[in-house]
């Protein structure tokens, strides 16, 4: 117990870094993902092709490669980012692509007929999107978004390779130093707690949207 | 036809991939008249309705509402209302919200004025008890009446119905014909696209057989 209380502060500060990365990524990647999804459905062919290529690139290559590319690769051509900034850029670019695909699917499954009905009532495209389409899309995408959000918590451990002091690094350092499994077990428990809380929140939100079918 | 003309189509033509679906359709509907557009399937009834609603671009032809040129693609005036075959209610909104969305957001009618209008419509359409229901909680007939209320609240010059009887049982069917007659008494012009000849005979003042293209 004494040992646990000794290493807890470093694990908690690692947790703080993990949570910070998680929150910043979500706050940026969700709106960007929605914009990308709208772009993917745009009538401008060139824009569509560029965005499709972007999504393909981000989903088709490992996030780990993207992290290494941005932090270790780009400096060779003179583009240098601070560690945490590099991590945020990689995560936002990557997750925005995943969110875009999810929202694109959601937009597609709200039928064209709903947009037509809204247009015939005189609603502008923006009004139709806000009052009719988006609320339906949100309900549709919630389960897949929940999965991605939980993946993000676990993926955040990949910043280990950039030497960022996240939760995993804090645990690994303590294990190597003190030759004990305890820190890594604690790290596992903290990840479980984080994903458990998120699952709980996800269920709450999904229930909040179950008032209609 | 003694009434003034509510809706007039002049020489409306529409082709899909070189196949002429509408070939110079001429059509007039008088104010307060119930006109049914009938004809075998594939004859272009739905296409004709979609051009009137501005959902299809015509190759040529003109539209007039109350003897004034009218662009069907301009929905901001709410001149034409539609009750779709599948109703197309917004599943995320209650009955009340479905009906009030457009008057509040498009026509910017003050809330208390809309409240009064909605109340009258709910009474007329017997939807009082269902006003806080979501569409999935309604029967087919109730959904249709919500769709009618949602269109009527905007006070359109012409109210169109796409196959209004296709999703209804006999009892709901007679209820709909009764409603159409009630609206007629209120001088609402109505255009019914249907393949249900029995219903068309029962409710219409006049039938327009698109297959024959004669009035």
């Amino acid at each position: 117990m004494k040992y646990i209380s000794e290493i807890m502060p470093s694990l908690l500060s690692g947790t703080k870094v993990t949570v910070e990365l998680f929150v910043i990524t979500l706050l940026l990647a969700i709106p960007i993902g929605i914009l990308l999804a709208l772009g993917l459905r745009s009538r401008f062919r060139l824009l569509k092709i560029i965005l499709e290529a972007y999504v393909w690139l981000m989903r088709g290559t490992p996030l780990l490669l993207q992290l290494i590319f941005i932090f270790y690769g780009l400096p060779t051509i003179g583009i240098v980012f601070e560690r945490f900034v590099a991590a945020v850029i990689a995560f936002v670019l990557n997750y925005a692509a995943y969110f875009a695909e999810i929202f694109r699917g959601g937009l597609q499954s709200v039928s064209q007929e709903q947009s037509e009905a809204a247009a015939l009532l005189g609603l502008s495209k923006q009004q139709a999107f806000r009052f009719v389409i988006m609320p339906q899309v949100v309900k549709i995408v919630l389960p897949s978004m929940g999965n991605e959000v939980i993946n993000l918590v676990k993926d955040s451990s990949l910043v280990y390779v950039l030497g960022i002091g996240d939760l995993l690094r804090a645990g690994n350092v303590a294990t190597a130093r003190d030759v004990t499994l305890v820190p890594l077990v604690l790290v596992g428990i903290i990840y479980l707690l984080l994903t458990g809380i998120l699952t709980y929140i996800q269920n709450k939100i999904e229930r909040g949207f179950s008032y209609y079918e | 036809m003694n009434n003034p003309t509510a809706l007039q189509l002049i020489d409306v033509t529409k082709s899909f991939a070189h196949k002429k679906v509408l070939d110079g359709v001429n059509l007039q509907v008088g104010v307060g008249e119930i006109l049914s557009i009938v004809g075998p399937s594939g004859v272009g009834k739905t296409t004709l309705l979609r051009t009137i609603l501005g959902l299809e671009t015509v190759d040529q032809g003109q539209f007039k509402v109350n003897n004034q040129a009218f662009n069907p693609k301009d929905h901001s005036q709410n001149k034409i209302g539609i009750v779709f075959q599948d109703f197309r209610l917004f599943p995320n909104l209650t009955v009340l919200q479905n009906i009030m969305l457009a008057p509040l957001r498009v026509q910017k009618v003050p809330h208390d004025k809309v409240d009064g209008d909605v109340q009258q419509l709910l009474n007329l359409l017997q939807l009082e008890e269902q006003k806080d229901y979501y569409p999935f909680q309604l029967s087919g007939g109730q959904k249709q009446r919500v769709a009618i209320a949602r269109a009527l609240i905007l006070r359109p010059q012409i109210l169109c119905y796409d196959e209004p009887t296709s999703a209804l049982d006999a009892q709901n069917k007679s209820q709909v014909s009764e409603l159409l007659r009630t609206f007629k008494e209120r001088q609402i012009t109505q255009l019914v696209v249907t393949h249900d000849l029995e219903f068309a005979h029962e409710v219409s003042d006049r039938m327009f057989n698109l297959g024959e293209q004669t009035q």
Side-chain angles (χ1 to χ4, degrees):
Chain A
M1 261 335 247
K2 185 164 174 291
Y3 177 66
I4 292 177
S5 64
E6 269 171 21
I7 60 165
M8 232 17 198
S10 71
L11 292 187
L12 286 180
S13 89
T15 306
K16 190 170 158 260
V17 174
T18 294
V19 170
E20 271 169 12
L21 180 66
F22 170 81
V23 171
I24 294 172
T25 302
L26 270 194
L27 288 181
L28 294 174
I30 290 179
I32 295 175
I34 294 175
L35 289 177
L36 287 173
L38 292 174
L40 282 167
R41 287 169 59 83
S42 136
R43 260 175 289 170
F44 302 107
R45 251 182 83 78
L46 184 64
L47 176 69
K48 233 181 106 170
I49 291 171
I50 292 171
L51 294 182
E52 275 169 1
Y54 168 79
V55 170
W56 176 64
L57 181 72
M58 285 297 147
R59 299 204 315 161
T61 59
L63 176 54
L64 189 54
L65 170 65
Q66 294 160 17
L67 279 164
I68 292 172
F69 187 90
I70 290 175
F71 184 67
Y72 296 110
L74 287 184
T76 62
I77 54 166
I79 304 172
V80 183
F81 293 109
E82 196 248 314
R83 281 172 211 280
F84 191 76
V85 176
V88 167
I89 292 172
F91 271 89
V92 169
L93 289 180
N94 181 280
Y95 268 80
Y98 278 92
F99 291 159
E101 269 303 293
I102 293 174
F103 279 110
R104 193 188 56 79
L107 283 167
Q108 217 158 41
S109 56
V110 176
S111 67
Q112 180 63 28
E113 275 104 41
Q114 288 280 302
S115 306
E116 263 180 21
L120 287 171
L121 290 172
L123 292 161
S124 68
K125 281 206 158 146
Q126 290 76 15
Q127 286 175 324
F129 186 73
R130 180 171 155 207
F131 299 112
V132 177
I133 308 299
M134 202 55 194
Q136 294 182 50
V137 170
V138 171
K139 183 181 166 81
I140 293 168
V141 302
L142 270 176
S144 344
M145 284 298 285
N147 285 338
E148 285 305 323
V149 166
I150 282 168
N151 272 338
L152 174 57
V153 173
K154 296 183 289 178
D155 274 355
S156 69
S157 62
L158 291 173
V159 299
Y160 185 91
V161 35
L162 304 193
I164 291 176
D166 76 321
L167 175 56
L168 178 62
R169 173 165 290 270
N172 199 28
V173 166
T175 288
R177 183 187 58 218
D178 306 329
V179 198
T180 159
L181 265 181
V182 176
L184 289 182
V185 171
L186 287 174
V187 165
I189 292 172
I190 294 174
Y191 275 119
L192 280 175
L193 280 174
L194 290 177
T195 52
I197 292 167
L198 289 170
T199 308
Y200 176 77
I201 295 173
Q202 182 194 354
N203 289 339
K204 276 258 166 198
I205 297 176
E206 277 182 31
R207 263 204 299 278
F209 271 88
S210 67
Y211 59 88
Y212 73 88
E213 281 170 15
Chain B
M1 191 165 49
N2 301 321
N3 318 3
T5 307
L7 173 70
Q8 189 176 7
L9 272 63
I10 305 159
D11 199 23
V12 169
T13 301
K14 168 78 188 169
S15 310
F16 289 110
H18 306 300
K19 184 177 181 290
K20 252 190 190 160
V21 181
L22 303 175
D23 191 2
V25 176
N26 290 290
L27 174 69
Q28 280 188 41
V29 195
V31 172
E33 188 181 23
I34 302 180
L35 177 77
S36 288
I37 297 175
V38 295
S41 48
V43 79
K45 298 192 297 288
T46 302
T47 305
L48 182 60
L49 179 63
R50 287 178 65 86
T51 62
I52 294 170
L53 296 172
L55 296 174
E56 301 288 349
T57 309
V58 295
D59 303 334
Q60 65 174 63
Q62 286 174 46
F63 297 84
K64 286 184 177 177
V65 168
N66 294 338
N67 288 319
Q68 289 184 340
F70 164 70
N71 173 11
K73 289 195 177 288
D74 175 12
H75 299 124
S76 61
Q77 306 286 319
N78 299 122
K79 289 200 165 143
I80 296 183
I82 170 71
V83 178
F84 284 107
Q85 182 175 7
D86 53 358
F87 319 128
R88 302 194 189 175
L89 302 179
F90 304 131
N92 58 314
L93 302 178
T94 64
V95 167
L96 213 51
Q97 291 166 335
N98 261 282
I99 301 172
M100 293 172 84
L101 179 63
L104 290 178
R105 301 287 172 179
V106 179
Q107 297 186 328
K108 315 265 185 215
V109 181
H111 212 296
D112 47 346
K113 168 89 173 61
V114 180
D115 276 342
D117 288 0
V118 170
Q119 206 49 53
Q120 280 185 10
L121 276 174
L122 290 176
N123 285 335
L124 178 68
L125 296 163
Q126 296 167 28
L127 288 166
E128 230 341 276
E129 281 174 34
Q130 287 79 26
K131 65 176 190 223
D132 295 318
Y133 285 19
Y134 285 89
F136 81 96
Q137 297 167 301
L138 303 173
S139 71
Q142 289 168 338
K143 281 183 195 164
Q144 186 177 52
R145 298 206 297 279
V146 176
I148 292 174
R150 187 173 72 171
L152 270 186
I153 190 124
L154 298 168
R155 299 178 189 279
Q157 309 287 322
I158 299 117
L159 180 57
C160 303
Y161 306 83
D162 184 16
E163 298 289 355
T165 57
S166 67
L168 302 180
D169 58 24
Q171 195 198 339
N172 276 314
K173 222 159 131 173
S174 70
Q175 204 175 7
V176 175
S177 21
E178 229 169 90
L179 272 178
L180 264 69
R181 280 191 290 267
T182 311
F183 299 151
K184 181 180 167 56
E185 282 164 23
R186 300 180 179 207
Q187 285 290 299
I188 296 171
T189 308
Q190 297 171 88
L191 189 69
V192 184
V193 170
T194 184
H195 68 271
D196 184 343
L197 283 175
E198 192 192 335
F199 177 77
H201 274 293
E202 191 188 328
V203 298
S204 337
D205 298 315
R206 202 156 51 92
M207 305 225 278
F208 178 84
N209 192 325
L210 194 55
E212 296 168 7
Q213 300 215 358
T214 48
Q215 286 192 52

